[in-house]
Amino acid sequence: MIEVTRLNQKTFILNCEWIETVEATPDTVITLTNGKKLVVAENVEDIIRKVIEYKQKVMFFRPDNQ
């Protein structure tokens, strides 16, 4: 899950596993796997960075602290 910002400056949490494409048109448009499109304030590079950070956290998360 990543936090993104709508153009009206309201933030929301997006399940990044549902992202199909991210485009700059010039606004950043995220298309989800269900076809829904979201316009966000972050640029494409910010979305990519947030997704990578999320996936790194998930890959290294170990609930038993082993």
Side-chain angles (χ1 to χ4, degrees):
M1 306 287 249
I2 62 172
E3 184 174 286
V4 293
T5 311
R6 295 186 191 277
L7 296 182
N8 65 4
Q9 299 307 309
K10 296 201 184 248
T11 60
F12 66 99
I13 305 300
L14 173 65
N15 183 342
C16 62
E17 301 297 333
W18 293 354
I19 295 175
E20 185 170 305
T21 62
V22 180
E23 306 172 75
T25 64
D27 292 327
T28 304
V29 178
I30 300 173
T31 304
L32 304 181
T33 55
N34 64 3
K36 183 174 183 176
K37 294 184 183 287
L38 305 168
V39 180
V40 298
E42 291 82 4
N43 63 38
V44 172
E45 292 78 19
D46 288 339
I47 299 298
I48 292 168
R49 179 185 49 75
K50 288 181 179 202
V51 170
I52 289 170
E53 287 173 0
Y54 165 76
K55 291 198 178 251
Q56 286 175 335
K57 286 178 186 176
V58 170
M59 293 286 293
F60 293 109
F61 176 73
R62 293 181 357 184
D64 56 3
N65 292 327
Q66 293 182 1

